[in-house]
Amino acid sequence: MPSDGAFDALPSDGAFDALPSDGAFDAPTIIRTKRDGAALSDAAIDWVIDAYTHDRIAEAQMSALLMAIFLRGMTDAEIARWTAAMIASGDRFDFSDLRRNGRPLALVDKHSTGGVGDKITIPLVPVVMACGGAVPQAAGRGLGHTGGTLDKLEAIPGFTAELSKARIRQQLSEVGAAIFAAGDLAPADRKIYALRDITATTESLPLIASSVMSKKIAEGAGALVLDTKVGAGAFLKSEAEARALARTMVDLGAAHGVSTRALLTDMSVPLGRAVGNAVEVAESLEVLEGGGPADVVELTVTLAREMLDAAGLDAVDPAQTLRDGTAMDQFRRLVTAQGGDLGQPLPIGAHSETVTAPRGGTMGDIDAMAVGLAVWRLGAGRSEPGQRVQFGAGMTMHRRPGETVTAGEPVFTLYTDTPQRFAAALSELDGAWTVGDRPPPSRPLIIDRISE
Ligand code: URA
């Protein structure tokens, strides 16, 4: 595990002796070095990232190295170099020359470390646009049990996230935001991200920090707010691990000249009532219409305030943009600019299955991890690289923790186009929720804030 704090000097314990630093590298030696718990030299990291990006080492070798990193961790210095090498694997955007009404753009972005029902980017980006910010967002696809912003937005008929650099620049100055697949930004991350998803190497502090920050540093936002998730549905479950992750990412941002801060937020239970692809877009539209679940609204507004503060904007109250429809107007502009048609119905799974309450009482906690896995099993995520996701797959929670429920009432509805998936999805939910006599203990949604 890296230490909490600024990047330390590399240890001088002979850890680097195992590897030559003259360019004579090979994958088995690098894998063995990390497998045996030593640190990799800068030159070895540069070589392995470049070799993997350009297909000069095998998927099996990178898989083994990722598992060694997962098991052995990395020093702060290794994480910093691994991140820098991933940034150097592709383009680094610079939008500082762009102007709107003759003034430089207030460029700011946010990124989440991954959660269940975490659709926050969808209402957040238009809120920040409505408050005068400009958002260049390199977004991801689903990873493990967590959904991806791109898979959700592509559920809108016609929406495309494959934007050229010229189109991103044009959209930023004319519309105020662009949400795009990372493409030529940190291509090493694109490959490693997909490989982690299918090799059980996702839940690793060094790999999450470098994945998030390589894309975010390369995308050209001057300021960044990180939503670091804590709890059952997060990749790193404990508050101590999430805190260390947030500190590592904030320090990486600062080292690359991106003003970065992080919130620690609760991910023990899913966010909102909808988990999946199109169902999360539908819930985001409710939020943009001034309604929606209280937790989704609270997190959207809190993250918007952080982003506006980081960008030096304070003229407009973000909560007001949800009430007065200006954020919704911006969302329509953004979706239209990216080819989407909100006039067409969102897809919904052709088959549904309802889970009912076995007794009356108060809904207890709903395990976010179990819900994430259930929705993944319904077809909302991938089990092989490049697989198509089902846009209509997902789940609606009719009762949230703490709400009253009567015996026999529907508590969850599950949707999929492939009904043979129901059995596995339902078994993920077994034992993952309760109905009791008392409400579950209340937890703050926003746990802490970590700044440079
Ligand atoms: N988001 C990313 O971009 N990468 C991760 O590893 C986790 C969340």
Side-chain angles (χ1 to χ4, degrees), residues 111-114 138-140 143 146 189 193 196 202 204 207-213 215-216 235:
H111 197 82
S112 157
T113 57
L143 185 63
T146 68
D189 177 58
Y193 188 92
R196 285 166 60 211
T202 297
S204 151
L207 297 178
I208 297 172
S210 55
S211 163
V212 170
M213 294 310 291
K215 285 190 288 276
K216 296 286 123 171
F235 288 125

Side-chain angles (χ1 to χ4, degrees), residues 183-201:
D184 295 336
L185 298 179
D189 177 58
R190 188 174 61 241
K191 289 190 76 182
I192 293 173
Y193 188 92
L195 192 57
R196 285 166 60 211
D197 196 20
I198 55 164
T199 55
T201 50

Side-chain angles (χ1 to χ4, degrees), residues 41-333:
S41 68
D42 287 355
I45 289 173
D46 293 351
W47 180 84
V48 82
I49 293 288
D50 184 63
Y52 182 58
T53 306
H54 297 100
D55 301 325
R56 293 198 311 273
I57 62 173
E59 297 291 329
Q61 292 175 312
M62 195 57 164
S63 303
L65 180 60
L66 293 175
M67 187 55 82
I69 293 170
F70 179 95
L71 295 170
R72 292 297 198 164
M74 277 180 151
T75 65
D76 287 345
E78 284 178 290
I79 300 174
R81 191 65 179 211
W82 185 272
T83 307
M86 296 221 295
I87 297 168
S89 72
D91 248 2
R92 184 167 175 181
F93 289 169
D94 179 359
F95 301 121
S96 57
D97 60 316
L98 295 182
R99 298 284 180 277
R100 207 156 162 212
N101 304 324
R103 306 189 29 200
L105 301 183
L107 293 157
V108 59
D109 190 19
K110 86 100 198 184
H111 197 82
S112 157
T113 57
V116 177
D118 184 1
K119 72 274 301 167
I120 301 298
T121 289
I122 303 172
L124 176 63
V125 170
V127 165
V128 172
M129 293 162 74
C131 295
V135 187
Q137 172 150 123
R141 301 194 182 277
L143 185 63
H145 67 285
T146 68
T149 299
L150 297 185
D151 293 331
K152 295 171 199 182
L153 283 172
E154 284 171 356
I156 301 172
F159 187 94
T160 180
E162 303 298 331
L163 305 183
S164 67
K165 184 173 169 183
R167 182 141 165 218
I168 294 167
R169 288 176 64 82
Q170 184 188 6
Q171 228 177 271
L172 276 174
S173 42
E174 290 176 6
V175 181
I179 301 179
F180 50 94
D184 295 336
L185 298 179
D189 177 58
R190 188 174 61 241
K191 289 190 76 182
I192 293 173
Y193 188 92
L195 192 57
R196 285 166 60 211
D197 196 20
I198 55 164
T199 55
T201 50
T202 297
E203 304 91 336
S204 151
L205 187 157
L207 297 178
I208 297 172
S210 55
S211 163
V212 170
M213 294 310 291
S214 58
K215 285 190 288 276
K216 296 286 123 171
I217 291 165
E219 77 180 7
L224 176 65
V225 177
L226 298 162
D227 182 4
T228 313
K229 300 294 189 192
V230 182
F235 288 125
L236 301 185
K237 317 275 178 228
S238 75
E239 191 175 317
E241 287 174 306
R243 223 172 251 289
L245 173 62
R247 172 48 61 200
T248 302
M249 294 191 295
V250 167
D251 289 349
L252 283 169
H256 287 268
V258 179
S259 160
T260 308
R261 58 182 79 179
L263 296 182
L264 291 191
T265 72
D266 184 61
M267 185 30 72
S268 322
V269 298
L271 270 170
R273 293 181 186 276
V275 182
N277 292 317
V279 287
E280 291 199 36
V281 176
E283 186 166 82
S284 302
L285 290 171
E286 283 173 34
V287 172
L288 288 165
E289 280 160 1
D295 58 341
V296 178
V297 176
E298 181 187 347
L299 192 49
T300 301
V301 170
T302 306
L303 285 165
R305 292 211 166 100
E306 288 291 342
M307 289 172 72
L308 296 170
D309 183 59
L313 298 167
D314 61 6
V316 185
D317 172 15
Q320 179 61 24
T321 69
L322 292 174
R323 289 192 291 267
D324 65 17
T326 51
M328 178 61 113
D329 293 343
Q330 296 297 336
F331 187 61
R332 290 188 188 288
R333 292 179 65 236

